[in-house]
């Protein structure tokens, strides 16, 4: 009873609001849990399930926060002058927290990325699997797009001060640049190397090449942006005088970048490598 009496003295005449607040939090937790169980029984993919779970959870808690603010509005107004007196100190102490909330609003309104997108940010490269009010969670990918088994997070506040690259802004298909170093012994016949790279890229992307080109055309028309056609393109990188690099740009599904890169590299390298010498004739 002493504990209850002490709380009653600390919150005079506010017990109804405290009870309503506790009920709101409990209902929000229950709704999030039930929605998660409902999604787990569906037949949708894990990626779509997580997308629905994250957005539903954020909407539930945002609505709960709005209701809680309205419940405590009169109390908040009564403390307005006191809050103004310490506002400067609060902003200094909680600057990072405020920036995280602003970063979340930036992601919600501008949508530089969404669940399932592959992004590069502040040295991190990965697929977005969760976005909450304070941080974004990535499944880390290597340069070829394969999962490393690690999970990375960064605070949303960094979005206000650091540049971000979205590697999959156009949906299911992305442009992928494959870099193939060319040995010095093969640089005398660049035309043959280009032809081999074109053939290897066309073979690796034949299953979806036309669909990818139609996808890029549709995205360009709907977003009023001049996008590449999606055709295979070969160019040379000679920025390093000691190493000539062949760059093969292909359009492929985001999740198949590693497979396509390996296929193009192996086929091109096989074409420019010298044929194995025949064994010695039997005497």
């Amino acid at each position: 009873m002493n504990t209850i009496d002490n709380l009653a003295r600390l919150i005079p005449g506010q017990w109804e609001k405290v009870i309503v607040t506790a009920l709101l939090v409990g209902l929000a937790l229950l709704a999030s849990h039930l929605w998660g169980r409902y999604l787990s029984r569906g037949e949708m993919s894990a990626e779509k399930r997580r997308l629905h779970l994250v957005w539903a959870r954020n909407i539930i808690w945002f609505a709960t926060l709005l209701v809680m603010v309205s419940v405590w509005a009169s109390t908040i107004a009564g403390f307005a002058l006191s809050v103004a007196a310490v506002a400067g100190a609060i902003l200094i102490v909680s600057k990072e927290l405020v920036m995280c909330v602003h970063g979340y609003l930036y992601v919600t309104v501008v949508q530089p990325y969404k669940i399932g997108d592959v992004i590069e940010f502040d040295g991190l490269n990965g697929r977005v699997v969760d976005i909450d009010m304070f941080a974004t969670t990535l499944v880390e990918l290597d340069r070829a797009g394969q999962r490393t088994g690690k999970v990375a997070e960064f605070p949303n506040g960094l979005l206000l001060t650091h540049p971000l690259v979205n590697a999959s802004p156009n949906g299911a298909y992305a442009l992928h640049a494959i870099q193939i170093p060319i040995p010095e012994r093969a640089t005398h016949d660049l035309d043959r190397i280009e032809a081999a790279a074109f053939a290897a890229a066309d073979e690796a992307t034949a299953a979806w090449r036309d669909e990818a080109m139609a996808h890029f055309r549709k995205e360009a028309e709907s977003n009023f942006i001049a996008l590449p056609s999606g055709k295979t393109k070969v160019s040379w990188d000679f920025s390093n005088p000691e190493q000539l690099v062949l760059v093969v740009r292909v359009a492929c599904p985001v999740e198949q970048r590693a497979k396509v890169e390996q296929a193009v590299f192996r086929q091109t390298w096989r074409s420019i490598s010298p044929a194995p010498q025949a064994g010695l004739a039997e005497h």
Side-chain angles (χ1 to χ4, degrees), residues 198-217:
F198 262 116
D202 285 343
E203 180 179 349
T205 61
W208 59 75
R209 184 168 58 250
D210 294 338
E211 183 177 348
M213 293 173 60
H215 174 80
F216 280 106
R217 285 196 302 269

Side-chain angles (χ1 to χ4, degrees), residues 44 78 89 109 129 160 189 200 206 219 221 224 237 247 251 253 256 264 279:
M44 65 179 66
V109 176
V129 294
L160 304 177
D189 194 354
E219 289 292 320
E221 293 173 358
F224 305 103
D237 180 2
V247 181
Q256 295 197 37
V264 173

Side-chain angles (χ1 to χ4, degrees), residues 125-201:
N125 178 35
R127 185 181 298 277
V128 180
V129 294
D130 194 5
I131 306 171
D132 59 32
M133 190 169 292
F134 302 107
T136 296
T137 305
L138 309 175
V139 172
E140 190 178 54
L141 304 175
D142 60 17
R143 191 189 65 82
Q146 300 184 90
R147 297 186 179 185
T148 64
K150 301 177 182 179
V151 176
E153 290 187 359
F154 62 85
N156 294 332
L158 294 180
L159 293 169
L160 304 177
T161 57
H162 290 68
L164 177 142
V165 176
N166 190 335
S168 53
N170 300 310
Y173 293 97
L175 293 173
H176 183 49
I178 305 168
Q179 297 184 346
I180 304 176
I182 304 301
E184 185 177 357
R185 58 176 170 74
T187 56
H188 65 282
D189 194 354
L190 300 186
D191 292 337
R192 183 172 66 87
I193 297 174
E194 286 188 7
F198 262 116

Side-chain angles (χ1 to χ4, degrees), residues 1-267:
M1 293 297 294
N2 291 333
T3 303
I4 297 177
D5 292 339
N6 291 333
L7 289 174
R9 284 194 295 269
L10 289 173
I11 315 175
Q14 304 291 338
W15 278 108
E16 296 84 356
K17 296 179 180 179
V18 172
I19 294 173
V20 171
T21 301
L23 288 175
L24 286 172
V25 173
L27 289 174
L29 291 172
L30 179 62
S32 298
H33 176 70
L34 292 178
W35 183 251
R37 293 192 60 181
Y38 170 74
L39 291 176
S40 65
R41 297 176 181 176
E43 297 182 354
M44 65 179 66
S45 65
E47 186 172 307
K48 288 185 177 179
R49 188 181 299 120
R50 173 166 286 276
L51 175 63
H52 289 306
L53 178 62
V54 169
W55 280 107
R57 184 191 63 195
N58 290 341
I59 291 173
I60 289 171
W61 283 106
F62 185 71
T64 301
L65 179 62
L66 288 179
V67 176
M68 289 172 59
V69 169
S70 65
V71 169
W72 290 92
S74 58
T75 304
I76 294 173
F79 284 102
L81 293 178
S82 299
V83 171
V86 296
I90 293 177
L91 287 175
I92 293 175
V93 173
S94 59
K95 176 184 176 182
E96 288 75 13
L97 181 62
V98 173
M99 288 185 65
C100 286
V101 175
H102 285 173
Y104 176 73
L105 292 176
Y106 168 72
V107 173
T108 303
V109 176
V110 181
Q111 291 189 336
Y113 58 84
K114 59 184 181 299
I115 301 294
D117 282 356
V118 176
I119 65 172
E120 299 173 11
F121 181 75
D122 199 26
L124 300 175
N125 178 35
R127 185 181 298 277
V128 180
V129 294
D130 194 5
I131 306 171
D132 59 32
M133 190 169 292
F134 302 107
T136 296
T137 305
L138 309 175
V139 172
E140 190 178 54
L141 304 175
D142 60 17
R143 191 189 65 82
Q146 300 184 90
R147 297 186 179 185
T148 64
K150 301 177 182 179
V151 176
E153 290 187 359
F154 62 85
N156 294 332
L158 294 180
L159 293 169
L160 304 177
T161 57
H162 290 68
L164 177 142
V165 176
N166 190 335
S168 53
N170 300 310
Y173 293 97
L175 293 173
H176 183 49
I178 305 168
Q179 297 184 346
I180 304 176
I182 304 301
E184 185 177 357
R185 58 176 170 74
T187 56
H188 65 282
D189 194 354
L190 300 186
D191 292 337
R192 183 172 66 87
I193 297 174
E194 286 188 7
F198 262 116
D202 285 343
E203 180 179 349
T205 61
W208 59 75
R209 184 168 58 250
D210 294 338
E211 183 177 348
M213 293 173 60
H215 174 80
F216 280 106
R217 285 196 302 269
K218 182 179 178 181
E219 289 292 320
E221 293 173 358
S222 59
N223 296 318
F224 305 103
I225 300 176
L227 295 175
S229 64
K231 294 182 179 179
T232 300
K233 182 179 180 180
V234 174
S235 59
W236 293 96
D237 180 2
F238 45 85
S239 57
N240 183 359
E242 298 181 358
Q243 180 68 72
L244 186 62
V245 177
L246 176 67
V247 181
V248 183
R249 192 195 71 185
V250 297
C252 63
V254 177
E255 66 276 6
Q256 295 197 37
R257 290 182 299 171
K259 180 180 179 180
V260 172
E261 180 171 313
Q262 292 295 316
V264 173
F265 175 81
R266 289 171 63 87
Q267 185 65 28

